[in-house]
Amino acid sequence: MDIVLANGKILDGCGNPWFRGDMAIQDGRIARVAPAGTLRGRETMDVGGRFVAPGFIDIHTHSDLSILVNRRAESAVRQGATTHIIGNCGMSPAPVDEDHLADMRNFWGRISEQPEVTWEWRTFDQYLQTLESGGLAINVGSLAGHAALRIAVMGLDAREPTPAELDTMQELLTEAMEAGAFGMSTGLVYPPGCFASTEEIIALCQVVSRYHGLYTSHVRGERETILEADAEAIRIGREADVPVQISHNAPKFGAPCDATANLRLVEEARARGEDVTVDNDVHTNYGPSLIGTLPQPVQERSIAEIIALLRNPDSRRQIREEIVLDQWPAFGPAGLLKHGQWQRITILHAPRSQDVVGKTIETIARERGQDPFDVYFDLIVANGDDVDAIFDYIDEANIRILLQHPAAMICSDGRVLAPYGFLNDPPPYSPCSYGEFPGVLERYVRNEPLLTLEEAIRKMTSFPAQRFGLMDRGVLRPGAWADIVVFDLERVRDRATHLYPHQYPEGIDYVFVNGVLVVAGEQHTNALPGKVLRGCRKKSPE
Ligand SMILES: [Zn+2]
């Protein structure tokens, strides 16, 4: 045996109570699991009674470009994540069409200008090869993003595709599925996904169905329209005959119900025999750019154009009216603008308005004797897209309901970040990127026993693995890939805050990816043993 992890409390990932045992790793896989004190290897690590669990499988991340910038996958692997699924919320960096490359780069924002993000790929397969060629610390699998398909064919146009354009989107999706996409994702609150009809998505999911893939969705509204939006996702699954994963499904501020209501739709679908599950992350706030809450047709424009629109009193008034009208339901945080919840928006980063950093929009408006909308728009005029705020937009009660629901698994909705280099400049406020899994263990297992340890681990490992067909990961059984986390539950602490530099969590002591140690004693070993995972590419006969 290459390595033996001796004397651990083994959590198998399936929810069974831990047991005391040894585990042997050989050629990247788990070779044996046996009672403590019975296995010998070339190298034996006594884990001293710590917990040994499958590596965490984070099925909802946006690491698509950031992992090219940081192939060490710092913020992911340091919290015990050994697999990321990317291409979520409609956003994947491939396929790309030459004519719409500028739209695509604009869509991804500042990170698309980083030297590691070469944009040399065009097809989905070429992008996966780019991921593979430079090595990765963690495993990565990808969905095909609906927005990418749409941009490649019709740019950011706010209209339906012509029949020929829809054909081309189906061809590009077929190519992505052949290359190993796990399915297709949509982001129906973002441009250009918000311009797509249900029928367009069904037509595309019929391609996904032929490859036995999954449909995942950031649904068409997470607030006022959450029930209709979830019902649409479920209908798409039914009509296209694909399993459905509703992404980060907590109702956000402005929703007419708590999470029991949208979960009831999931329960009803499952009772009818429709394969629908959900995921969620456990942080109540998020730190996007202020521009992200503007109406979708405005967001598509260049920064200079947006500033010009906000300088003009007529278009400024119109944008304000559109935010309140919310015609294409905008993403969660925009609900705080619609409902005038200015005390829940705290400015985090605004290099040309330093005096307001750390203050809420409500406080700034009072100090300046100004309308809060004007404060908000003026900050964009002064700082362009370089102004971020913390939006406190989720009620923790909903997070608790979701965590406990049998159809809900745990994801971060974060991305690979690092407290150095571009990914820390400016530091995006994304606490889940650093502390999702330790945060669950610390707050909802140890401090307050909302979940048993075994159940929390299951929702981070075998359950998401099963969802994506990764049947040889997410469990500690002979034959499975040796993606393993060793942690000390007493010491696990999520240290993610909006203060800088960002902090890695504590208590995640050792992390193996494909049998290779990537984190040892809370330090990165520089190893890059991750694999690019490809989904089932077997097509059903037509
Ligand atoms: Zn999303």
Side-chain angles (χ1 to χ4, degrees), residues 60 62 88-89 91 186-187 189-190 217-218 222 247-248 331 413:
H60 191 98
H62 297 286
N88 278 290
C89 300
M91 299 184 266
T186 56
V189 296
Y190 302 114
S217 184
H218 183 149
E222 328 158 65
S247 302
H248 44 53
F331 87 136
D413 195 16

